[in-house]
Amino acid sequence: MPHLTLFAPITRYTVTWLLLSSPFSHCFSILPHPSLPPRWRAINNRDRIRATTSDDVTISNNVKLLHKNPLILTIDNILSPTKVTEIRNFIQSSKSNLSPTHDYQEDVFSASATQKEDIHFTQVINQLEKSIPGEFATDPLSSFVWIVTNHPNLVDEDDIIKLANAIQRREALKKWKTEVGEALLGLSSDEMKFEKAGQRFIMPSELRSEFEALIPLFLQGSSNSVKKAQKDTAGLSWKVKDATLVVYGEEESQVPHVDPCDATLLLYLSDAESDDCVGGDTCFPLSDMRVPPKRGRGLLFFSSLLNCDEASTTLDEDSPTGDSGEEKQQTQRERDILSIHHGGRVEKGEKIVAQIMLDACFEGETRDSWLDTLLCLQE
């Protein structure tokens, strides 16, 4: 099969970027690879790594430190009951107008995904009426790869992106079916199959602004849209990498993954203790930890290793997330495998969560640990 980097000149966000370095290829951040660090090789030997201790410490009435490695904490009542109701009503009333995001690939285990992909590729191929060599005519995916490689001007950019996603999803599924992948899935709760994913939407700008305004309340520094004109005396700012809303219906869940960012803030808009939903815990299998959804609760956790030797610095470029594309130096840090997590299956009702992904931008020296960036833990 031709190498897909041949597609690079065709699209603004090249297929190379989509396949190899997409910051939103969540399912692939945790797949086994021989060059991964020693913590992975232990899993390959079926020594299931789990964080050794839990650090369940109540800092205040609202803030609870659940774990230090990886760093996980909850902040209750970060949104008032009135605000939660207001946001839920907004989402429900405008749900039909919300824009789905395709930057996440959460249908890896979907039983119907391959069939839908093949039907679509076959339809496109038939419309083009091109003769495909026998070695590429074995299946719709291979045929479409040949079409895109040899007749790129005949194919829409959206279809090339669908091709890249299909290849990613199928390769990921193969790796999940290996011994290592099965071992990881065995750590997930309830022997889940992750066959049905929730609906993920781009967060509307009005909600995004409200949620971003919360960031300086518990993290040192400022976000890229909050206090932008003020000098950051902490030498630290936070770039919002992505912001989405996710609605999980019954039997829907999220596949195990490591987030491609430094920190993630989840804001729960549903309550497992009421009639909103049953199930839907956010689960950290390597830490033996589950966080149930609770209205107004924030869950903050970190998915990268600070001050790691493998970190590299790159120039921040335009991205499809609505960022300004300012020329800043940004560090790409190694993923922390211990932060692997998944969304537990919703057994009844509906779970709604807002997700904000953050990257830390330091001016000068970094901190000794992510703990040192938390404003809410400093008295």
Side-chain angles (χ1 to χ4, degrees), residues 16 47 71 82 124 145 160 203 205 234 242 248 276 285 309 350:
T16 301
D47 296 330
L71 182 56
T82 302
V124 175
V145 166
I160 296 176
M203 188 180 293
S205 57
D242 193 46
Y248 297 94
D276 290 342
D309 291 339
E350 185 179 66

Side-chain angles (χ1 to χ4, degrees), residues 18 57 65 70 76 113 222 253 262 272 345 352 358 368 371 374:
L18 283 163
V57 179
L65 178 63
D76 284 344
S222 60
S253 59
D262 290 329
R345 182 176 62 250
I352 306 176
L358 301 167
D368 291 333
L371 266 173
L374 298 177

Side-chain angles (χ1 to χ4, degrees), residues 58-95:
T58 300
I59 307 299
S60 69
N61 290 335
N62 293 334
V63 181
K64 180 177 285 190
L65 178 63
L66 301 179
H67 218 281
K68 289 183 179 179
N69 182 29
L71 182 56
I72 307 170
L73 65 152
T74 56
I75 310 166
D76 284 344
N77 302 317
I78 193 172
L79 296 172
S80 68
T82 302
K83 177 57 68 175
V84 171
T85 300
E86 177 186 321
I87 295 172
R88 284 178 58 91
N89 290 340
F90 170 82
I91 293 173
Q92 296 294 355
S93 62
S94 59
K95 195 172 179 180

Side-chain angles (χ1 to χ4, degrees), residues 86-263:
E86 177 186 321
I87 295 172
R88 284 178 58 91
N89 290 340
F90 170 82
I91 293 173
Q92 296 294 355
S93 62
S94 59
K95 195 172 179 180
S96 59
N97 297 320
L98 293 177
S99 301
T101 175
H102 303 292
D103 292 328
Y104 294 70
Q105 196 168 59
E106 300 173 293
D107 60 348
V108 175
F109 299 95
S110 171
S112 60
T114 298
Q115 182 180 10
K116 291 179 180 178
E117 292 164 356
D118 285 347
I119 290 174
H120 178 75
F121 295 146
T122 299
Q123 290 174 343
V124 175
I125 293 168
N126 290 340
Q127 291 173 0
L128 297 177
E129 299 181 345
K130 291 292 181 182
S131 178
I132 299 172
E135 62 267 35
F136 294 100
T138 55
D139 61 86
L141 184 70
S142 299
S143 299
F144 196 60
V145 166
W146 184 88
I147 288 287
V148 172
T149 304
N150 292 276
H151 303 283
N153 295 331
L154 299 180
V155 184
D156 292 338
E157 180 176 326
D158 287 344
D159 287 329
I160 296 176
I161 293 175
K162 289 179 181 179
L163 172 64
N165 286 332
I167 293 174
Q168 279 191 324
R169 190 190 65 78
R170 297 185 195 195
E171 288 301 311
L173 186 58
K174 289 179 183 178
K175 292 179 180 179
W176 277 116
K177 291 183 177 180
T178 63
E179 184 179 7
V180 179
E182 292 289 347
L184 277 172
L185 290 177
L187 297 177
S188 63
S189 63
D190 308 322
E191 297 182 356
M192 298 177 61
K193 296 182 179 179
F194 305 104
E195 292 181 351
K196 293 180 65 178
Q199 294 178 283
R200 188 178 294 270
F201 304 96
I202 298 171
M203 188 180 293
S205 57
E206 54 267 47
L207 282 185
R208 177 167 172 156
S209 297
E210 282 195 55
F211 290 147
E212 285 187 33
L214 301 172
I215 295 170
L217 300 179
F218 52 86
L219 286 171
Q220 293 181 12
S222 60
S223 74
N224 54 311
S225 65
V226 180
K227 302 180 181 178
K228 196 168 186 178
Q230 299 181 14
K231 185 177 180 180
D232 178 19
T233 57
L236 169 63
S237 61
W238 296 90
K239 174 183 177 181
V240 177
K241 193 170 186 177
D242 193 46
T244 56
L245 298 171
V246 195
V247 180
Y248 297 94
E250 292 184 7
E251 298 301 314
E252 293 180 344
S253 59
Q254 185 187 36
V255 298
H257 63 283
V258 174
D259 284 350
C261 57
D262 290 329

Side-chain angles (χ1 to χ4, degrees), residues 35-39 41 305-313 331-335:
S35 64
L36 287 175
R39 63 180 64 85
R41 290 197 287 273
L305 298 173
L306 190 60
N307 296 323
C308 177
D309 291 339
E310 297 187 23
S312 61
T313 302
T331 300
Q332 302 298 318
R333 300 179 179 89
E334 182 189 345
R335 301 300 96 199

Side-chain angles (χ1 to χ4, degrees), residues 24-31 105-108 172 176 255-257:
F24 306 108
S25 298
H26 294 88
C27 308
F28 313 103
S29 301
I30 58 172
L31 293 174
Q105 196 168 59
E106 300 173 293
D107 60 348
V108 175
W176 277 116
V255 298
H257 63 283

